[in-house]
Amino acid sequence: MVRYGITSRKVFGISAPILRTMAKEIGENHALALRLWSTGYLEARILAALIDDPGAVTRKQMERWVADFDNWAVCDACCGNLFDRTPFAWEKAVAWSCRKEEFVKRAGFALMAWLAVHDKKAEDKLFLKFLTVIRREATDERNFVRKAVNWALRQIGKRSSFLNRHALKTARGIQKIDSASSRWIATDALRELTTNSVQLRLKKKDSRRAALR
């Protein structure tokens, strides 16, 4: 875990597949999720995110939990398994993106990435605001932040042809910023978003959408 940058003061050493199996056996349980989180153990917190009821999660709970993030694993697990399904996901993505704390800020961009993947009903135009935020924060040199910024940019750019064009425009703008972080974020995103495989998949998605109209 340390090798992959997953650090925490309290760790059992339980693998993700085992935690997911446990979550399926337990089912949705908000009260238990809160108790698990309070233990402070990494795996207990990841399990809490897997079993919590997004409808029962409040803004205050999200703020309490995000303040406890001390590594990317629990951050991404909470954002991708729970927070992105709450009614507050969109507002928190923007609010957290300008916070100073490394993993709170990462959470903002992790939410953007997960929303691009999971929120199938959201209109593509809603993601344009995220691209503006991504450009604004692309100069953050902290590893876990810049990787999340890059992740959000790539996922948004893979959602549709419309967003791909806007993401590419954003990446090219970021590339011109005099910052090592910005250049890495942009170069990596441009490399993936312009590949034949991505472009072909987006064209197929466009064709399926047109057929359903």
Side-chain angles (χ1 to χ4, degrees), residues 59-92:
R59 289 184 176 89
K60 287 185 178 180
Q61 179 186 335
M62 292 177 75
E63 290 296 339
R64 287 197 305 270
W65 283 25
V66 78
D68 288 333
F69 289 175
D70 59 358
N71 62 81
W72 66 264
V74 71
C75 171
D76 296 0
C78 278
C79 291
N81 294 312
L82 179 63
F83 287 173
D84 67 329
R85 294 186 291 137
T86 68
F88 320 113
W90 289 80
E91 68 177 72
K92 291 301 182 186

Side-chain angles (χ1 to χ4, degrees), residues 11-199:
V11 181
F12 288 116
I14 302 171
S15 68
I18 292 175
L19 291 174
R20 292 192 176 277
T21 298
M22 292 173 68
K24 289 180 181 179
E25 293 173 352
I26 295 168
E28 205 169 78
N29 191 321
H30 178 63
L32 179 57
L34 294 177
R35 286 161 53 197
L36 285 167
W37 189 271
S38 68
T39 67
Y41 277 94
L42 172 67
E43 294 89 348
R45 287 181 167 176
I46 291 174
L47 183 59
L50 288 167
I51 68 169
D52 204 352
D53 173 10
V57 175
T58 63
R59 289 184 176 89
K60 287 185 178 180
Q61 179 186 335
M62 292 177 75
E63 290 296 339
R64 287 197 305 270
W65 283 25
V66 78
D68 288 333
F69 289 175
D70 59 358
N71 62 81
W72 66 264
V74 71
C75 171
D76 296 0
C78 278
C79 291
N81 294 312
L82 179 63
F83 287 173
D84 67 329
R85 294 186 291 137
T86 68
F88 320 113
W90 289 80
E91 68 177 72
K92 291 301 182 186
V94 175
W96 291 343
S97 70
C98 57
R99 290 273 291 272
K100 293 181 179 179
E101 307 96 310
E102 183 173 12
F103 291 107
V104 177
K105 191 168 185 176
R106 180 185 174 90
F109 292 101
L111 270 178
M112 294 180 195
W114 285 122
L115 285 167
V117 175
H118 293 160
D119 196 342
K120 306 296 185 183
K121 295 181 180 179
E123 293 184 13
D124 284 347
K125 290 183 179 179
L126 293 174
F127 291 92
L128 297 179
K129 183 176 182 179
F130 288 168
L131 291 177
T132 301
V133 176
I134 285 169
R135 177 165 183 159
R136 184 193 72 202
E137 301 298 335
T139 57
D140 195 313
E141 300 290 340
R142 291 174 294 181
N143 187 49
F144 292 115
V145 174
R146 70 182 183 128
K147 283 189 173 181
V149 174
N150 168 266
W151 178 25
L153 178 57
R154 289 184 293 107
Q155 293 302 331
I156 291 171
K158 290 188 289 184
R159 183 178 170 91
S160 69
S161 293
F162 169 79
L163 285 173
N164 183 265
R165 291 192 296 273
H166 283 276
L168 289 174
K169 182 179 179 181
T170 300
R172 292 183 181 113
I174 291 172
Q175 199 172 36
K176 297 176 183 177
I177 300 173
D178 186 17
S179 159
S181 177
S182 299
R183 287 192 294 272
W184 177 83
I185 289 168
T187 301
D188 186 73
L190 287 167
R191 184 185 301 114
E192 180 174 2
L193 296 179
T194 56
T195 58
N196 290 334
S197 59
V198 168
Q199 293 299 317

